[in-house]
Structure formats: C-alpha cells, structure tokens
Amino acid sequence: MLTPPRVRARPGVLVSRGLLLRRSVRLDDLVAVRRDDGIAPRLVLRDASGGQVVLDPDVLVANPPLWRLMDDGARACACAEHGSLLCGATALRRIAERVEHGAAEGCAWAVQRRPSP
C-alpha cells in the first residue's frame, strides 16, 4: 500500500516524509522551483545545498498556512540582492493564483451556506 508523503514546515524549512525517506529543503536558500504537469502534477523544490522535495501542488492549495511559509521563503530568495532562486517564478505564481482562488471560493461558499436569522 502506498501512502502520500507527509509535508511539514517550519520557518525556513519544508520537510516531506514518506514511507522510507525523509527529504527537506531550505526555503531561504531555494535555487529552483519546477512544476511537472505529467500524469500526476508535482512541484519540485531544490535548494543550494542539494536538498530536494517533491510534492503534490494540491497540498499547498489545501493548506494556505503551509503555502504562506513556502511563499515567504521563495520570495526572500527571489528578491534578495544576490537572490538564490534561479527559476520558478511562473510555477510559484500559478500556485499562488490557485491558493487565492480556493480561498475566495471557500469564503463565497461560507457566505452562501450561512443560515439566515
């Protein structure tokens, strides 16, 4: 039986733990963010020290606090004077749009489902 990896984050680090492997990437040292839209969409994060995490983008869409931690680290890498993020702005923008769209849908749903007094 295969299980999806568990994804956790703390400021500066994203960790993916599967059945046998534990992988982590430093969010303040990202060099690449790549989206692979094959049979199963996935997001590949790499840092300067060789760390790599592969995860389903829906994990970030379903968990906005996790997305914010990752986005903050990626923005710091992209905006720094000597930023380490070499590629991935488009992939990050697409996920940000999905997260915002999902949050907007959730708010609209909550307003529609609110019982009338």
Side-chain angles (χ1 to χ4, degrees):
M1 176 169 124
L2 294 175
T3 61
R6 293 181 179 204
V7 179
R8 291 183 158 209
R10 61 182 186 269
V13 179
L14 185 76
V15 179
S16 173
R17 196 179 83 219
L19 201 55
L20 300 174
L21 295 174
R22 179 182 176 275
R23 295 178 184 234
S24 64
V25 66
R26 289 185 47 112
L27 297 172
D28 58 353
D29 204 17
L30 288 175
V31 293
V33 177
R34 192 180 80 238
R35 185 180 166 112
D36 183 9
D37 288 326
I39 293 172
R42 58 189 186 153
L43 193 67
V44 182
L45 308 169
R46 301 188 100 184
D47 66 14
S49 62
Q52 177 176 311
V53 169
V54 179
L55 60 108
D56 184 342
D58 289 339
V59 169
L60 299 173
V61 173
N63 191 338
L66 180 64
W67 160 249
R68 280 193 289 278
L69 276 172
M70 200 203 84
D71 188 47
D72 289 345
R75 285 180 191 263
C77 291
C79 294
E81 184 177 314
H82 300 289
S84 59
L85 188 63
L86 304 175
C87 64
T90 303
L92 291 170
R93 188 173 55 249
R94 285 183 183 168
I95 293 173
E97 290 169 357
R98 287 184 60 201
V99 170
E100 291 169 7
H101 181 69
E105 278 186 357
C107 291
W109 182 82
V111 169
Q112 290 173 346
R113 303 289 286 173
R114 186 179 301 155
S116 58

